[in-house]
Amino acid sequence: FSATTMATRHRTFYRLAATILIAFLLTPPTAAQPPWQICGKSGNYAANDTYQSNIRQLSATLPKNASASRTLFATSSIGSLPNIAYALALCRGDGNASACEACVTTAFQDAQQLCAFNKDATVIYDPCYLRFSNQNFLATTSNDNIIVLKNTQSVSSPVDVFDAAVQTLLNATGDYAAANSSRRFATGEEGFDTTNPTIYGLVQCTPDMSPADCRSCLGDIITQMPQDLSGSIGGRLIGVRCNFRYEVVPFFSGSPTLRLPAPPAPPAPPPAPVNVTPTATPRGKSANNVLAIVLPIVAAILAITTVCLCYLRRRRRRQARSELPHDSTNHEDIDSIDSLIIDLSTLRGATSNFAEENKLGEGGFGAVYKGDLPDGQEIAVKRLSRNSGQGIGELKNELVLVAKLQHKNLVRLVGVCLQEHEKLLVFGKKKGARLGKEIEDNKWNCSRIAVSP
């Protein structure tokens, strides 16, 4: 070989070695270290036969084609049946062209050593993976030859919560990779908890897949995550057509494509029940305790009710007195009729709301109605007409006069009502007397209401 060729090969070797070393340092401990290989069962080839010659031709062209591609991806086939060989190479989307070429070149060499004389071989590194086969796997998007790699360390957080967070991150990143990336590649990070502040994820499909096929392929392997990688702080599923990886430490180059917020914290568990043994209480004491609580409450309610009723009664009396003229010269006379105030509702009930059939007569100043109080007492109610010329002052004087009159042949004043613009005098018959059918009502001369002995 020329000195120039040797120097080129040395540089290529050093770049590949550096790439593998960096990937090794960034990769958390797993069950094994790269390369990972899968040797198929489609037959073997012999040394220096046509199939081996075809593999060597692919190894000379495919690394360059993959590194030259904007998507760092290439497929090829060479030869004819029965010695035709198909090959696929895919480098990680965050890599560069030189590292991609070096990785695929080394992959061809390792595949022929790790799967010696096997016509179907797959080798996987962190920066790239390669498959060649005598079967036309390029004609399908089937995600064959899946490798599961699991970190040996487990999470300290609740497993189901961590697994759900990982699936959320991978699904969101998968959506982006399938729909928005020509490389069908995306990375993401998601906040989690204080022990594992961030979860990092990466997903990738071969760029020749449609968005729907890519998302379907990723969905299938992401669904396997809880089954194959549950509780592990890192892991990956790698197939020929799509793959994913997640870790709790950074492992990809550059800024993440997506950043997701931390999932909501799970609800706090309910407080543990307190075992309290109740103290047995004799029935008699329990009943006494209930009475000691209830009786004061009942007494307080009764007292409040009584006070309220008294207050309302006094308020009504004050309202009736306020309707009397303020120019009265004898307050003692006015006070003497406070006890005679009767509610308008009582008089309406007694006279059937001043029904026409209860009218005893009518004068110039209003009508007189018969009625019965709730206690059975027969009464006559003088109802001053609102249009009457009789003044309040004259009415007051007659109230004081009638209240003081006592005679065996006179009816007795038993009440007065001054509510809702009504002016009513209530008379009751004395024992042994009856109310006359005709009652003179002129000038509200209450003393002239006649009775028959």
Side-chain angles (χ1 to χ4, degrees):
F1 297 106
S2 66
T4 303
T5 303
M6 291 295 295
T8 301
R9 289 191 173 184
H10 285 158
R11 285 196 298 272
T12 301
F13 173 78
Y14 290 141
R15 283 197 298 268
L16 176 61
T19 301
I20 294 175
L21 177 61
I22 292 172
F24 175 81
L25 294 175
L26 290 177
T27 304
T30 53
Q33 295 298 328
W36 300 280
Q37 78 278 354
I38 298 175
C39 302
K41 299 178 181 179
S42 61
N44 297 322
Y45 62 88
N48 298 319
D49 69 0
T50 304
Y51 190 83
Q52 187 179 49
S53 176
N54 290 338
I55 294 300
R56 287 174 177 170
Q57 292 185 58
L58 287 173
S59 68
T61 59
L62 200 65
K64 289 182 170 55
N65 293 341
S67 62
S69 169
R70 187 171 59 88
T71 59
L72 301 179
F73 167 73
T75 60
S76 184
S77 64
I78 191 170
S80 58
L81 292 175
N83 296 308
I84 188 170
Y86 302 90
L88 177 152
L90 177 66
C91 296
R92 217 167 73 178
D94 59 340
N96 57 58
S98 59
C100 179
E101 182 179 354
C103 184
V104 176
T105 298
T106 303
F108 267 108
Q109 298 168 4
D110 288 340
Q112 295 175 77
Q113 294 177 5
L114 297 172
C115 299
F117 301 108
N118 197 312
K119 290 186 176 182
D120 192 332
T122 302
V123 289
I124 297 170
Y125 299 89
D126 284 320
C128 73
Y129 62 75
L130 165 75
R131 181 184 180 186
F132 62 75
S133 176
N134 63 334
Q135 304 295 318
N136 187 12
F137 67 92
L138 301 178
T140 176
T141 56
S142 177
N143 200 34
D144 298 327
N145 295 352
I146 294 179
I147 291 180
V148 178
L149 301 173
K150 182 176 182 179
N151 196 298
T152 57
Q153 299 181 29
S154 299
V155 296
S156 57
S157 307
V159 171
D160 57 342
V161 177
F162 182 80
D163 289 351
V166 170
Q167 284 189 293
T168 298
L169 174 62
L170 293 177
N171 277 310
T173 310
D175 290 340
Y176 188 94
N180 301 306
S181 173
S182 60
R183 288 189 176 188
R184 302 285 182 258
F185 172 84
T187 57
E189 65 178 40
E190 177 183 22
F192 188 60
D193 62 12
T194 54
T195 304
N196 300 303
T198 307
I199 304 172
Y200 301 87
L202 177 152
V203 299
Q204 186 172 23
C205 300
T206 57
D208 61 337
M209 296 178 72
S210 68
D213 287 341
C214 175
R215 190 62 187 89
S216 177
C217 183
L218 289 172
D220 290 341
I221 60 174
I222 292 172
T223 302
Q224 294 178 233
M225 180 266 162
Q227 175 183 347
D228 297 328
L229 303 172
S230 181
S232 176
I233 63 171
R236 64 183 89 176
L237 265 71
I238 306 172
V240 172
R241 286 296 184 176
C242 67
N243 66 86
F244 75 73
R245 180 182 178 185
Y246 74 91
E247 305 287 350
V248 294
V249 294
F251 64 90
F252 50 77
S253 301
S255 300
T257 310
L258 300 176
R259 284 188 173 90
L260 302 183
V274 179
N275 295 325
V276 178
T277 304
T279 305
T281 304
R283 284 189 175 182
K285 290 185 178 180
S286 177
N288 290 338
N289 291 338
V290 172
L291 290 175
I293 296 172
V294 173
L295 288 179
I297 295 175
V298 173
I301 293 173
L302 291 175
I304 293 171
T305 303
T306 303
V307 170
C308 290
L309 291 175
C310 292
Y311 170 77
L312 291 174
R313 186 179 181 88
R314 289 186 179 182
R315 184 178 178 182
R316 287 174 181 172
R317 289 180 177 177
R318 284 198 298 269
Q319 287 177 347
R321 288 180 57 185
S322 66
E323 294 189 18
L324 291 175
H326 296 285
D327 58 349
S328 175
T329 56
N330 191 342
H331 293 286
E332 293 181 359
D333 290 340
I334 298 303
D335 291 338
S336 67
I337 65 171
D338 278 350
S339 61
L340 301 179
I341 293 174
I342 298 178
D343 287 339
L344 178 59
S345 59
T346 301
L347 298 181
R348 283 177 174 166
T351 62
S352 299
N353 199 20
F354 304 105
E356 189 66 25
E357 60 268 21
N358 289 330
K359 183 184 291 187
L360 295 175
E362 187 169 3
F365 295 98
V368 179
Y369 298 85
K370 68 177 180 179
D372 296 292
L373 291 177
D375 60 1
Q377 182 180 6
E378 187 179 358
I379 60 172
V381 181
K382 294 189 68 174
R383 187 182 190 189
L384 181 62
S385 173
R386 296 184 183 179
N387 297 324
S388 171
Q390 179 73 34
I392 293 295
E394 294 175 83
L395 175 61
K396 178 204 67 172
N397 293 332
E398 293 192 28
L399 282 176
V400 174
L401 174 62
V402 174
K404 292 180 179 181
L405 287 176
Q406 297 292 335
H407 191 276
K408 67 180 181 177
N409 290 328
L410 293 178
V411 292
R412 179 172 57 90
L413 178 67
V414 296
V416 63
C417 177
L418 300 173
Q419 284 182 259
E420 299 182 13
H421 305 291
E422 293 280 3
K423 302 177 183 65
L424 304 169
L425 293 179
V426 184
F427 298 91
K429 103 176 162 176
K430 288 189 177 181
K431 188 174 182 181
R434 66 180 180 83
L435 292 173
K437 292 183 180 179
E438 299 293 338
I439 299 179
E440 183 182 1
D441 193 39
N442 293 328
K443 296 185 180 179
W444 281 83
N445 192 346
C446 303
S447 62
R448 294 171 59 188
I449 297 179
V451 298
S452 299

